[in-house]
Amino acid sequence: MAKENKTKLEANSVAAFLAEVEPAGRAQEGQVLADLFKRVSGQEPVMWGPSIIGFGTYHYQYESGHEGDSPRVAFSPRKAKLVCYLKIDSTGAGTLLARLGKHGTGKGCLYINKLSDIDLGVLEELVADSYQAMAEAYPN
C-alpha cells in the first residue's frame, strides 16, 4: 500500500495560523514573507499541513510510483528559524544566495534566523527564480 504524504493541502486559514505563531516577531516576519511570496508568485497563500504556507501547486511522480502534490514555493515561520522551501539548485540561485546575507541551506530549504539578516530584494529574486524553475520542471 502506498504511503500517504504527510504534507498535504489543508483548509485551515493562513491568517489564523500566523496569528498564533510565537514569538510575535516571528508572526510579523511570517506576514512579510506571505506578502512577498504572494506578490512574486501571483498565488494566494494556502496551508500545507499544520505549519507550511504554500503558493501554487505541482504534481510529481517518482519512478517508484510514489506521487503527490506540493506547493511550488512555500515557507514556514518556525520558532528557531524561518524556513523557505525553494528550488535552490536552479541555475540562477547560486549567485543570488551569495548576495542574500546570513542564511543556511539544506536540500530544497533556505534557513533564515531573522529577516533583518538578509536582503529582502534578493529573497524576492530567489523566490521568483524558484517559482519559474518549478513551473518549467512541472508545467502541469
Side-chain angles (χ1 to χ4, degrees), residues 11 13 15 22 25 45 47 56 64 74 78 82 86 93 104 108 119 122 124 131 139:
S13 162
E22 292 290 333
M47 294 301 300
S64 66
R78 307 228 186 251
L82 297 162
L86 304 171
D119 182 324
V122 175
E124 190 166 327
Y131 193 84

Side-chain angles (χ1 to χ4, degrees), residues 33 36-37 40-41 52-55 58 70-76 82-90 93 96-97 100 103-112 118 120 122-134 138:
L33 288 180
L36 183 149
F37 276 63
V40 170
S41 70
I52 296 174
I53 300 171
F55 300 80
Y58 72 97
S70 284
R72 287 191 191 263
V73 292
F75 75 91
S76 183
L82 297 162
V83 182
C84 298
Y85 301 96
L86 304 171
K87 186 166 179 51
I88 56 176
D89 62 351
S90 70
L96 292 170
L97 287 169
L100 181 63
H103 70 279
T105 59
K107 185 175 175 144
C109 295
L110 171 67
Y111 300 100
I112 302 164
I118 63 162
L120 284 176
V122 175
L123 179 61
E124 190 166 327
E125 290 181 66
L126 266 170
V127 173
D129 179 75
S130 180
Y131 193 84
Q132 181 62 37
M134 291 302 292
Y138 300 93

